[in-house]
Amino acid sequence: MPQNGPLLEDVDVVTAADPVCQPVADLRSVTPKHEATGTAWASLGAGDGAAGGGSVVLTSYPEGGAKAWMSELRAAVSTCKDFVASSERGWKDRGTLKVSPTDGIGDESLAFSTVSAEDPGKGQAMTIVRTDGSLAVYLTSSEGEPIPAALMKLQHERLRKAGK
């Protein structure tokens, strides 16, 4: 993806093989069940406090949307251990989901990692932080360092201030 956000040709519809896993697939889909009213995307590098880099997607939702998606994500991650997703563009992703602890960031937060079935040394770590009606989705690869909790807490406070 380019530095300033996804281009039209970069967007994709992602579908989970098991409907229970769809909320997780929706994190990567252009047509999630909960449609955002606004989205911003950025790369994070070592200078941003994210050793090894990563990305963050900030999305805002109509009343109750962010809270509902968090609830669905929490249920999906606790139920969906073997994750298989495919896209309209032809890629397929297989892996195992594993819940990770969070530091009580935001109004609520959820963290999990995926380990690739094809290459067990590869995967992604994701932390989703809800602040009121917004979600911040932090993503790093398994090769990188996790995004520091302090950076996520700072973003939460900034979103909280912006909402007042």
Side-chain angles (χ1 to χ4, degrees), residues 4-164:
N4 61 349
L7 296 173
L8 189 55
E9 65 266 15
D10 291 331
V11 295
D12 205 355
V13 175
V14 181
T15 307
D18 181 347
V20 148
C21 302
Q22 190 60 44
V24 176
D26 277 352
L27 288 169
R28 297 167 56 187
S29 184
V30 69
T31 58
K33 176 181 173 183
H34 299 281
E35 190 172 332
T37 55
T39 302
W41 177 89
S43 301
L44 299 174
D48 300 315
S55 65
V56 61
V57 178
L58 301 174
T59 50
S60 58
Y61 296 89
E63 184 72 32
K67 194 170 190 174
W69 198 351
M70 281 295 287
S71 177
E72 292 167 19
L73 281 166
R74 195 171 307 286
V77 170
S78 68
T79 306
C80 177
K81 300 302 176 203
D82 296 316
F83 180 72
V84 179
S86 58
S87 78
E88 285 185 336
R89 295 180 66 189
W91 59 261
K92 192 169 203 169
D93 190 12
R94 297 179 196 275
T96 303
L97 296 180
K98 180 183 173 193
V99 177
S100 306
T102 62
D103 291 336
I105 303 163
D107 296 335
E108 61 181 318
S109 56
L110 170 68
F112 63 93
S113 59
T114 60
V115 177
S116 170
E118 285 81 28
D119 186 354
K122 302 266 184 197
Q124 297 177 325
M126 198 173 286
T127 302
I128 301 102
V129 178
R130 184 178 68 79
T131 304
D132 298 325
S134 298
L135 295 181
V137 179
Y138 300 91
L139 176 70
T140 56
S141 72
S142 60
E143 294 86 31
E145 293 292 320
I147 294 174
L151 184 105
M152 292 185 274
K153 287 178 181 179
L154 178 62
Q155 182 62 48
H156 166 71
E157 291 305 320
R158 287 178 176 168
L159 284 171
R160 171 87 62 218
K161 261 186 174 172
K164 292 185 179 188

